[in-house]
Structures are given as structure tokens and as C-alpha cells.
Amino acid sequence: MSAITATTPTNLRKNLFNVLEDVTEANTEVIITLKSGKNAVLISEDELNSYRETAHLMSTKANRERLNEAITQLENGEGTVRDLIEDGSDA
């Protein structure tokens, strides 16, 4: 799980490179606090893609039920460990 930090727009401007490096390299989430109370969040592209994939996987009732059943089975020790076979491609 990634760390969450908060900063102001002024501090973000002063430390933009370091903040971007933390966000992309350490998957740190940065909440940018605004005076209006409507804050923004800065996350890495990888993290955004992960959220989108999770939302997609959970978007239908049937898929949610299958995933939740699989999770329950794993938590109950009913899973099967298998070795992955590498096909040699870079895709």
C-alpha cells in the first residue's frame, strides 16, 4: 500500500520535481489541499491504470460475484499454487 501525503499548491510548486519522483517511483499519493475545500489528488499513471482496471473488473454483478468467490476460496486455503510458464516473448 502506498503512502499518502498532503501539500499545498505553493509547496507543490516549490517541490514539483521531488513530488513527481515520489509519486512515480514510490507510488505515493499526494493530496493537494485547496482553500475551497475541494482537494485534488496526484497519483502515478500506474496507480491510475490499476484503479481503472479494478473498476472495470468490478463493473458487473456477475464479475464481482466471481471475484469475491475466488477471494473467499483463497482465504479459506482452497486455492491452487501453479508455476507460471514463460513463453519467451516480450509482450
Side-chain angles (χ1 to χ4, degrees), residues 46-62:
D46 286 345
E47 194 74 13
L48 175 62
N49 290 338
S50 177
Y51 287 135
R52 286 182 171 172
E53 179 68 16
T54 299
H56 173 74
L57 291 172
M58 301 300 277
S59 65
T60 65
K61 183 179 179 186

Side-chain angles (χ1 to χ4, degrees), residues 34-84:
L34 305 175
K35 290 179 183 178
S36 68
K38 294 183 178 182
N39 300 332
V41 178
L42 182 63
I43 61 173
S44 70
E45 182 179 20
D46 286 345
E47 194 74 13
L48 175 62
N49 290 338
S50 177
Y51 287 135
R52 286 182 171 172
E53 179 68 16
T54 299
H56 173 74
L57 291 172
M58 301 300 277
S59 65
T60 65
K61 183 179 179 186
N63 221 26
R64 279 192 306 277
E65 289 172 352
R66 281 193 297 268
L67 290 169
N68 286 331
E69 177 63 24
I71 291 168
T72 299
Q73 288 175 356
L74 286 173
E75 287 173 343
N76 292 331
E78 299 169 14
T80 303
V81 176
R82 298 176 192 255
D83 291 330
L84 294 178

Side-chain angles (χ1 to χ4, degrees), residues 11-25 30 42:
N11 286 335
L12 179 62
R13 280 190 298 272
K14 289 179 185 176
N15 300 298
L16 184 59
F17 180 77
N18 290 333
V19 170
L20 291 174
E21 194 168 68
D22 285 346
V23 166
T24 57
E25 299 300 322
V30 178
L42 182 63

